[in-house]
Amino acid sequence: MKRVITYGTFDLLHKGHINLLRRAKALGDYLIVGVTSEGYDYYRGKLNVKQNLTERIENIRASGLADEIIVEEYEGQKLDDIIKWNIDIFAIGSDWIGRFDYLKEYCQVVYLERTKGISSTELRDQQHPLIRFGVVGSGRIAERFVAESKFVSGVTVEGVYNVHRDSAKEFCIKNELAFYDDDYKTFLNKVNAVYIASPHGSHYSYAKEALMHEKHVLCEKPITLTELQAEELFKLAKEKGLILMEAIKTAYCPGFQRMVSCAKSGKIGSIISVDATFTKLVSPHLRELQNNGEGGSVLELATYPLLAIFKLLGVGYQDIQFVSYKKNPNDVDLFTRIDLVYPGALATARVGLGVKSEGSLVIAGTRGYVYIPAPWWKTEYFELRYENPSETEKNFYKFSGDGLRYEIVEFSNRIALGKMNDNICRLSCEIARILERYRAGDKTTIVM
Ligand code: CTP
């Protein structure tokens, strides 16, 4: 009996897949089909798959072409499977020509001609209209956004807006966009979503106007500088059936999400303390350190540690204190400690701009603790540690590129779903509330 194996994601099973499976089956007597798991697809950067694993497996089963279906979960599994299942022929579409020649040592490798004119990517794009982004602002992060958007299907960045026309033009040329504008209304009319990466204080008005013009909004952190403004924007987006999301990449990266679930699963007992630090060395001439009411470590960086604290302990803290070190010609905070007191737990966020420290996240529990080394906001690795060091559990994840692709995928999924995530909207409002209190000098000690 000749045993054949083939692999794929098989999202939205289409005639190209069926043709491939039929020809693969005809190569032998018994066909095994490997279907990629969600985790593996995410790992290899395939972020837009629409159907879950069960649906994709069900579709293959219903085709009647597979004698057996297995799940492909890790890189290198193909070789393990070939040996384990005693495979004679490995078959795959011609888009992979040459890539699996290394398997020829173990079995026959056959590349089957791909069916022209159809793919899961095209079907996904047809099901959901293309998200045509316009970028507001033309700084460093905006540039990273354009680069990262290329990893997400169903999304393009078409144009850029900046009050300074020359700046917009330069960005447009450098990033090969279709247009630039210094008139916001004209700019809005050419796109269906905006990514706001302008100075902090301008987020509110740009986001509001975009929502009023029926555009979805992905807004850099901090979404606004007051809680009321954030609440107003989320309410407006909801009324209009639009998506408004704060661009906190960490919230959507797979490693961080797993770490939060793990910490809350009871494996370290009850969480008693969260310590999150994020520091960055920047040139004193940069925007972040200017005394224009929008500079300093808290406004620039506190969103990340506060996200971790809120995800782990919720937003029901009873008390908050800020201690800031400010000694510099610009009078902005260079290092700030934010202490939050919860019923039965404590949390500390430490942020520094122009002050460097270990950027770790430590979650202390009654049975053990979670340690995430710097840069924990791009979680690739975390450890569960216990009294007995031999019980340490190490977990590895992939964090691709700059990570903005994860928030773009979430934003595009939310548009397809037609619904915002209320919990994360609340979290954005709570962060805005803390920034507002800090700016008002509430509960703040200044060290000069
Ligand atoms: N395939 C094919 N003809 C097509 C599409 C896919 O023969 N028109 C084959 C692929 O070469 C692969 C298998 O079907 O061997 C599973 O491919 P998969 O990546 O799941 O499908 P795609 O449509 O290529 O998906 P995507 O657009 O997401 O890359």
Side-chain angles (χ1 to χ4, degrees), residues 9-10 14 16-17 46 93 95 114-115 118-121 124:
T9 303
F10 302 106
H14 54 68
H17 295 143
K46 204 161 181 172
D95 41 329
R114 200 178 147 91
T115 306
I118 186 145
S119 73
S120 302
T121 304
R124 285 192 290 263

Side-chain angles (χ1 to χ4, degrees), residues 6-21 23 34 36 41 44 46 48-49 56 91-96 112-124 153:
T6 191
Y7 293 87
T9 303
F10 302 106
D11 190 26
L12 309 170
L13 195 77
H14 54 68
K15 90 168 184 286
H17 295 143
I18 297 291
N19 285 342
L20 183 287
L21 293 176
R23 283 173 296 151
T36 51
D41 271 331
R44 62 194 191 127
K46 204 161 181 172
N48 282 83
V49 177
R56 289 180 286 123
I92 197 100
S94 54
D95 41 329
W96 295 97
L112 296 165
E113 189 60 37
R114 200 178 147 91
T115 306
K116 296 205 169 45
I118 186 145
S119 73
S120 302
T121 304
E122 277 169 43
L123 292 179
R124 285 192 290 263
S153 64

